[in-house]
Amino acid sequence: MSEQETSSPVNAAERFDADLPGSVERELVRFLHEAAGQIRMAEPGFVSGVDALTDFVLGGGKRLRPTFAWWAWRGTGGDPAEAEGVLRAVASLELVQACALIHDDLIDSSDSRRGRPTVHRAFARQHDENGWLGTPEMFGLAAAVLIGDLALAWADDMFNTAALPPERLAAARPAWRAMRTEVLAGQFLDVRTQATGDSSPEAALRVSRLKTAAYTVQRPLHLGAALAGADSGQTGALREFGDDIGVAFQLRDDLLGVFGDPSVTGKPAGDDLREGKRTLLVALGLAQAGPHQAEIIANAIGNPGLSEAEVDKVRTTLTEVGAVAAVERRIDELTTTALAALRAAHLAEPAATRLAELAVRATQRTS
Amino acid sequence: MSEQETSSPVNAAERFDADLPGSVERELVRFLHEAAGQIRMAEPGFVSGVDALTDFVLGGGKRLRPTFAWWAWRGTGGDPAEAEGVLRAVASLELVQACALIHDDLIDSSDSRRGRPTVHRAFARQHDENGWLGTPEMFGLAAAVLIGDLALAWADDMFNTAALPPERLAAARPAWRAMRTEVLAGQFLDVRTQATGDSSPEAALRVSRLKTAAYTVQRPLHLGAALAGADSGQTGALREFGDDIGVAFQLRDDLLGVFGDPSVTGKPAGDDLREGKRTLLVALGLAQAGPHQAEIIANAIGNPGLSEAEVDKVRTTLTEVGAVAAVERRIDELTTTALAALRAAHLAEPAATRLAELAVRATQRTS
């Protein structure tokens, strides 16, 4: 292959197609290296914070949001000459996600993430091991708040410095803005629903729509389509697809949170119950249960000391009352309507096939 | 005055000159109204969070950062036709500041700010009054984390949607980026210095340089000059001015944190000591004290139960050992070198006079 062929825009886009997670990670490494390098020189005392963010971002994740955004851009006729800039713009979604996870783990008092200690726990441990002043908990809290903030600020920096014509970024900005506000609204609503004890399926669905359907799938698709300059018909169909697949994705997550294998999901089984998460699975369980069964479920939610045997009892109960079957049925229905919307979007190949595969994989996964 | 005169660009800029805090607030009201309106319709459950942010942003503050940025823009020959867009861009600094304060108050466990309960305390109280599930403290924490995040995301949205030519925003972006990273680095270093108990004047000065000199004065000036397209000579002189006046500003803050009148500063006297803040004032006090005096100071730092009488004893000690006089002397020196740098920047009037006034006021203030 000649030098010229290797570096042609179409080839660049196809190279990214072939290994999207790897390409996204290279883009993240490049940005983090540059951003961290600047502040590292200015302020060596901040290195441990910057390193914690870098490790977190590069330490795992399925790169799902950049992947949805990328295929939406490819499928709606994005200009291959802009592939490098688009890759950077969509990779920045991983920094928004880093903020969301680091702050969520702090809010939920979670101990581990991807099989490693959460950021607030890691810094609390550092404090404890060094016998520093104050309490390990408050030091961990401070570090997690500030490192999450850094991720959010850097997400904007990465997105806004993508090498794209200003009108492209301007067209994508409504999706970018909505996405960040919606994920915060979803998290706020999640916390509030847990506090007020609202156990209705409606409340569970609202949280799912904001935290997962909008933030994880629909807005990334919207962003990709906007970066390509897609028309409103294609964009609308893609967003419809995203809304359905996003809710299905969250429902699968709800099932995994109670039934998932810890060695595959990377988090302790039943933690969703201990944290008091008001999922649609739990809401349907409560709505369909008899008095004794409802008591088993209700007593488990938000009980931090829940034993493995008690988690098992909740599993049996949710299955007996038909909540598990109902959620599985809903996932099937949503996947069907989602795939119909995807066909109506008339995307170019291979994007159409890839998004259909993603949809199926995201709703049938085991981790 | 004819219609045409009233709406000319020069008149718009001069109208903002005449009441800068008021103009900044109108710009904030306009943005918050628009941003809050969108999410309010989409998600009514988020209203209490959005309202808390709006109340916080509009509830006070000296609008110091937008003011420094504005006069730098005016003084380095900013195009009056861009006054509206520049006002929006510099007003967005208040949203960065809202995030910094809301998260700082959480990290420091502060009870009040501007004479009102801090955000985490207000939400903890709401939780408590309603007898909700979980603990009030964790609910307050969650709300403060998410509302601070919203402020940071909206700061970027406000800045990036200012009606300015793309090349203007691109020119200002390095200052915008550096400012947000530096304030987080400063806060991180502040927390770390308190935890490790590093009582050296050098550590105190590093924190001051990042949190106040860079974030509050130097970068806003840098941002304003970049928005005007100022040359490197003027920009350099302005930043020199900002660095000196910023450190002087922080030193005045240190003095007010121990000696200030609570009815004027809006926060309990001695709270800096109780929180264990490692200020230059305290560092110099320790460095210049005899063994008995050092003990009085050291025992007070980070002691949450410090009584009013004990705060008084620390005040007397810091004065006796000469730390207060040393800090006052340093403020004088820095103000002198700052004003010399300002003259060397050769700014247009009235910006030159206004910045000189601001410098003197910021370092001689009582609140």
Side-chain angles (χ1 to χ4, degrees):
Chain A
M1 201 182 279
S2 78
E3 181 82 358
Q4 195 163 5
E5 272 174 333
T6 328
S7 60
S8 85
V10 172
N11 279 358
E14 285 176 358
R15 206 170 60 240
F16 300 150
D17 286 353
D19 177 17
L20 206 39
S23 304
V24 165
E25 262 153 59
R26 272 191 298 279
E27 212 51 50
L28 287 165
V29 167
R30 188 182 308 179
F31 173 81
L32 288 167
H33 184 81
E34 171 221 324
Q38 282 170 7
I39 190 68
R40 215 182 279 265
M41 279 187 298
E43 189 35 66
F46 193 35
V47 166
S48 66
V50 170
D51 284 352
L53 176 60
T54 303
D55 289 350
F56 187 90
V57 172
L58 302 179
K62 302 188 196 77
R63 316 304 180 196
L64 206 56
R65 292 159 193 85
T67 301
F68 278 118
W70 175 263
W71 287 119
W73 176 75
R74 286 289 270 157
T76 56
D79 178 355
E82 295 172 2
E84 292 269 3
V86 167
L87 184 66
R88 180 177 172 113
V90 305
S92 71
L93 293 168
E94 289 292 309
L95 286 170
V96 178
Q97 175 66 352
C99 169
L101 294 178
I102 292 168
H103 283 176
D104 237 13
D105 285 342
L106 172 68
I107 288 169
D108 293 340
S109 300
S110 302
D111 294 324
S112 67
R113 155 88 52 198
R114 297 172 190 155
R116 296 169 59 179
T118 49
V119 171
H120 61 107
R121 290 279 186 255
F123 278 86
R125 186 190 291 177
Q126 184 194 29
H127 185 284
D128 194 41
E129 285 171 357
N130 286 284
W132 283 339
L133 302 168
T135 70
E137 287 68 32
M138 287 310 289
F139 185 74
L141 178 153
V145 167
L146 296 172
I147 293 167
D149 288 352
L150 188 70
L152 188 57
W154 282 8
D156 275 292
D157 292 343
M158 189 173 182
F159 178 80
N160 284 298
T161 53
L164 288 171
E167 64 273 19
R168 288 268 181 260
L169 285 175
R173 202 159 275 126
W176 176 255
R177 289 181 62 175
M179 182 201 64
R180 282 145 56 262
T181 298
E182 282 163 0
V183 67
L184 291 168
Q187 288 181 295
F188 190 88
L189 200 65
D190 198 4
V191 167
R192 213 168 175 281
T193 305
Q194 285 178 47
T196 59
D198 184 347
S199 62
S200 66
E202 293 71 31
L205 203 58
R206 292 187 81 82
V207 172
S208 294
R209 276 202 191 279
L210 286 164
K211 277 187 81 164
T212 312
Y215 166 62
T216 304
V217 193
Q218 203 212 80
R219 291 299 182 188
L221 290 168
H222 184 188
L223 186 78
L227 284 169
D231 65 33
S232 63
Q234 263 192 327
T235 306
L238 260 178
R239 289 181 60 184
E240 220 176 290
F241 161 74
D243 195 39
D244 286 349
I245 221 61
V247 173
F249 179 89
Q250 181 59 48
L251 294 178
R252 176 60 58 208
D253 217 47
D254 292 355
L255 286 168
L256 289 171
V258 179
F259 293 86
D261 177 350
S263 71
V264 183
T265 62
K267 42 186 178 181
D271 253 23
D272 276 11
L273 297 171
R274 293 188 189 91
E275 287 167 12
K277 278 214 182 126
R278 298 284 173 174
T279 66
L280 190 61
L281 173 68
V282 164
L284 287 177
L286 285 168
Q288 294 175 202
H292 174 63
Q293 293 165 318
E295 207 185 311
I296 293 172
I297 301 171
N299 287 343
I301 300 167
N303 173 3
L306 205 66
S307 72
E308 189 52 38
E310 287 167 317
V311 173
D312 252 343
K313 232 163 120 183
V314 177
R315 285 192 192 112
T316 312
T317 309
L318 288 172
T319 309
E320 276 173 9
V321 302
V324 175
V327 168
E328 289 284 7
R329 208 159 44 236
R330 192 86 194 96
I331 292 174
D332 277 350
E333 289 165 5
L334 286 164
T335 308
T336 305
T337 53
L339 292 174
L342 181 61
R343 280 189 299 274
H346 296 295
L347 300 191
E349 288 294 358
T353 303
R354 294 299 182 84
L355 283 175
E357 286 167 2
L358 265 176
V360 172
R361 214 182 314 142
T363 53
Q364 298 180 352
R365 75 212 142 90
T366 54
S367 72
Chain B
M1 203 181 278
S2 79
E3 182 81 358
Q4 197 165 4
E5 273 174 334
T6 329
S7 61
S8 83
V10 172
N11 279 356
E14 285 175 359
R15 205 168 62 240
F16 301 150
D17 285 355
D19 176 18
L20 206 40
S23 304
V24 165
E25 262 153 59
R26 272 192 299 279
E27 212 50 50
L28 288 165
V29 167
R30 189 182 307 179
F31 173 81
L32 288 166
H33 185 81
E34 171 222 323
Q38 281 171 5
I39 190 68
R40 214 182 279 268
M41 281 187 297
E43 189 36 65
F46 194 35
V47 167
S48 65
V50 170
D51 284 352
L53 176 59
T54 303
D55 290 350
F56 187 90
V57 172
L58 302 179
K62 303 187 197 77
R63 315 305 179 198
L64 205 58
R65 291 160 194 83
T67 301
F68 277 118
W70 175 263
W71 288 120
W73 177 75
R74 288 288 272 156
T76 55
D79 179 354
E82 295 171 3
E84 292 270 1
V86 167
L87 185 65
R88 180 178 172 111
V90 304
S92 71
L93 293 169
E94 289 292 308
L95 286 170
V96 177
Q97 174 67 352
C99 170
L101 293 179
I102 292 168
H103 283 176
D104 236 14
D105 285 342
L106 173 68
I107 290 169
D108 293 341
S109 299
S110 303
D111 295 323
S112 67
R113 155 88 52 197
R114 298 172 189 153
R116 296 170 58 179
T118 49
V119 171
H120 62 108
R121 291 279 187 254
F123 278 85
R125 186 190 290 176
Q126 184 194 27
H127 186 283
D128 194 40
E129 285 171 357
N130 286 284
W132 282 339
L133 301 168
T135 69
E137 287 66 33
M138 287 309 289
F139 186 74
L141 178 153
V145 167
L146 296 172
I147 293 168
D149 288 352
L150 188 69
L152 188 56
W154 283 9
D156 275 293
D157 292 342
M158 189 174 182
F159 178 79
N160 284 298
T161 54
L164 288 170
E167 64 272 20
R168 288 270 182 259
L169 285 175
R173 202 159 276 125
W176 176 256
R177 289 181 62 174
M179 181 200 64
R180 283 145 55 261
T181 298
E182 283 163 359
V183 66
L184 292 167
Q187 288 181 296
F188 190 89
L189 200 65
D190 198 3
V191 167
R192 214 169 175 282
T193 305
Q194 284 177 47
T196 60
D198 183 347
S199 61
S200 66
E202 293 71 30
L205 202 59
R206 290 188 82 81
V207 172
S208 294
R209 276 200 191 281
L210 286 164
K211 277 188 80 163
T212 312
Y215 166 62
T216 303
V217 192
Q218 202 210 82
R219 291 299 182 188
L221 291 167
H222 183 188
L223 186 78
L227 283 168
D231 65 33
S232 63
Q234 261 190 328
T235 305
L238 260 178
R239 290 182 60 184
E240 219 176 293
F241 161 73
D243 194 40
D244 285 349
I245 220 61
V247 173
F249 179 89
Q250 181 59 48
L251 294 178
R252 174 61 59 205
D253 218 46
D254 292 356
L255 285 169
L256 289 170
V258 179
F259 292 87
D261 177 351
S263 72
V264 183
T265 62
K267 43 185 177 180
D271 253 22
D272 275 11
L273 296 171
R274 293 189 189 91
E275 287 167 14
K277 278 217 181 122
R278 297 284 170 172
T279 65
L280 189 62
L281 172 67
V282 163
L284 287 177
L286 285 168
Q288 295 175 202
H292 175 63
Q293 294 165 317
E295 208 185 312
I296 293 173
I297 301 171
N299 287 343
I301 300 167
N303 173 3
L306 204 67
S307 72
E308 188 52 37
E310 286 165 318
V311 173
D312 252 343
K313 231 162 121 185
V314 176
R315 285 192 191 110
T316 312
T317 309
L318 288 171
T319 309
E320 276 173 8
V321 302
V324 175
V327 168
E328 289 284 8
R329 206 159 48 234
R330 192 84 193 97
I331 292 175
D332 277 349
E333 288 164 6
L334 286 164
T335 308
T336 304
T337 53
L339 292 175
L342 182 61
R343 279 189 299 275
H346 297 296
L347 300 192
E349 288 295 355
T353 303
R354 293 299 183 86
L355 283 175
E357 286 167 2
L358 264 176
V360 171
R361 214 181 315 142
T363 53
Q364 297 179 352
R365 75 211 143 89
T366 55
S367 72

